[in-house]
Amino acid sequence: AQVIEIVSSTEIKTLGPTGRRQQITMAGIKPVQDNHPVNHSGEKRLHSLILGKTVMLEKLPDNRVLINYGGLDVAARLLEEGLNVIDYQSMQVMNPGKQKQYISAQEQAARYERGYWLKQNQRAVQRYHYPQWPAPGLPMPLTNAPVFRP
């Protein structure tokens, strides 16, 4: 399905191969607290990752969806960057391997103080420079864009 709109940091609108539009909620993640500045960052990051791209969707029993783009689990990536947090209730229907992946991604964000996990007094000074092509194994575009590494 092709991503045609980013609704929030956990919801997207897609256009299927038959021309059917649908709004999708991602499985296993939820936005951080209401009115938190990271919520907008998660939406922007999702925009740079998958807007306009063709993604693989895997529907789970609770009607939420796992989104995969070029071998990259999009929700796990957002957790790893501290832009969303785990939704433990929606994660119950996922397989144990996927659950472990999400938990370790969130732990990594907390360990390296990324996004939501950044200490309050540092929040204003830290800047992220996101790579436009994050999926491992895909060819890198010709760019000199800086990449944030912890």
Side-chain angles (χ1 to χ4, degrees), residues 9 12 26 29 45-46 49-50 55-56 66-80 84 98 101-102:
S9 64
I12 63 169
M26 285 196 274
I29 62 172
R45 181 63 172 132
L46 203 51
L49 276 173
I50 60 173
V55 295
M56 294 291 297
L66 295 173
I67 300 174
N68 194 309
Y69 172 63
L72 174 76
D73 183 326
V74 175
R77 184 53 169 238
L78 293 174
L79 285 171
E80 197 176 284
N84 286 70
K98 201 50 105 170
Q101 180 188 1
Y102 281 28

Side-chain angles (χ1 to χ4, degrees), residues 11-72:
E11 293 182 335
I12 63 169
K13 288 186 179 173
T14 62
L15 183 64
T18 59
R20 187 169 154 250
R21 293 170 183 253
Q22 64 185 49
Q23 186 161 328
I24 289 171
T25 303
M26 285 196 274
I29 62 172
K30 63 183 180 183
V32 296
Q33 310 154 355
D34 290 341
N35 300 323
H36 198 283
V38 168
N39 282 339
H40 185 63
S41 300
E43 202 172 315
K44 283 172 52 180
R45 181 63 172 132
L46 203 51
H47 194 279
S48 74
L49 276 173
I50 60 173
L51 184 66
K53 311 248 174 41
T54 301
V55 295
M56 294 291 297
L57 305 175
E58 182 186 333
K59 195 170 186 180
L60 297 177
D62 67 348
N63 284 334
R64 290 179 177 235
V65 173
L66 295 173
I67 300 174
N68 194 309
Y69 172 63
L72 174 76

Side-chain angles (χ1 to χ4, degrees), residues 129-143:
H129 300 285
Y130 295 118
Q132 291 295 307
W133 207 257
L138 293 179
M140 287 295 291
L142 298 172
T143 177

Side-chain angles (χ1 to χ4, degrees), residues 75-106:
R77 184 53 169 238
L78 293 174
L79 285 171
E80 197 176 284
E81 294 176 4
L83 301 175
N84 286 70
V85 291
I86 290 176
D87 179 1
Y88 289 97
Q89 185 178 354
S90 104
M91 201 169 75
Q92 297 305 314
V93 297
M94 296 163 66
N95 71 46
K98 201 50 105 170
Q99 290 181 17
K100 285 179 184 163
Q101 180 188 1
Y102 281 28
I103 290 167
S104 71
Q106 182 166 294

